[in-house]
């Protein structure tokens, strides 16, 4: 329910469409989402070329999904911070920097996981 609204929760179908709309908006407006989707596509191509096993596919796909999800959360946090603090405020900047750092850290760890998965596929 939306605070201050008298309407009930939207149905499952409508909620799903809102989620698709949010994803589409992020892809159209956010450069980093595009970059992460492209890198994810490259990870899938590498998996096909190296003929990775089922468990490796699960690891790669899960890593791609988690990084994209983290970037979506980061975008949502930045959007809310911009809404509540349109002028610069040090705490607003700190919140946005920390959210971005979370995505950076996750991406770093996922890159290491990718190297391990693909190296394993190359040497086996």
């Amino acid at each position: 329910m939306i605070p201050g609204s008298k309407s009930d929760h939207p149905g499952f179908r409508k909620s799903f469409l809102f989620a698709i709309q949010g994803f589409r908006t992020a892809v159209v407006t956010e450069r980093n989402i595009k970059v992460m989707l492209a890198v994810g596509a490259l990870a899938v191509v590498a998996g096909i070329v190296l003929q990775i096993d089922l468990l490796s596919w699960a690891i790669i796909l899960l890593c791609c999904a988690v990084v994209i999800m983290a970037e979506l959360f980061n975008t949502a946090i930045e959007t809310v911070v911009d809404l509540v603090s349109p002028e610069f405020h040090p705490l607003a900047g700190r919140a946005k920097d920390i959210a971005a750092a979370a995505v950076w850290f996750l991406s770093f760890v996922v890159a290491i996981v990718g190297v391990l998965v693909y190296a394993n596929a190359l040497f086996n």
Side-chain angles (χ1 to χ4, degrees):
M1 176 179 263
I2 299 170
S5 170
K6 295 184 182 190
S7 65
D8 291 332
H9 288 284
F12 179 77
R13 182 176 182 275
K14 200 170 208 177
S15 293
F16 187 76
L17 292 175
F18 288 146
I20 296 294
Q21 178 182 331
F23 185 77
R24 188 177 312 142
T25 299
V27 169
V28 168
T29 61
E30 298 296 320
R31 180 194 70 230
N32 287 348
I33 291 285
K34 292 174 190 148
V35 169
M36 290 175 183
L37 287 170
V39 171
L42 289 174
V44 169
V45 169
I48 292 168
V49 169
L50 294 174
Q51 299 178 348
I52 59 176
D53 60 56
L54 187 60
L55 181 59
S56 295
W57 272 116
I59 292 168
I60 293 299
L61 294 176
L62 184 61
C63 284
C64 290
V66 171
V67 168
I68 291 167
M69 182 184 73
E71 184 59 36
L72 290 169
F73 282 139
N74 179 44
T75 299
I77 289 168
E78 289 181 350
T79 302
V80 171
V81 168
D82 289 345
L83 174 68
V84 299
S85 182
E87 289 85 35
F88 176 78
H89 190 282
L91 290 177
R94 185 186 306 175
K96 291 168 76 170
D97 290 348
I98 292 169
V103 177
W104 173 83
F105 182 77
L106 177 64
S107 297
F108 179 75
V109 172
V110 163
I112 293 170
V113 170
V115 166
L116 294 173
V117 168
Y118 296 130
N120 183 56
L122 278 171
F123 296 119
N124 288 332

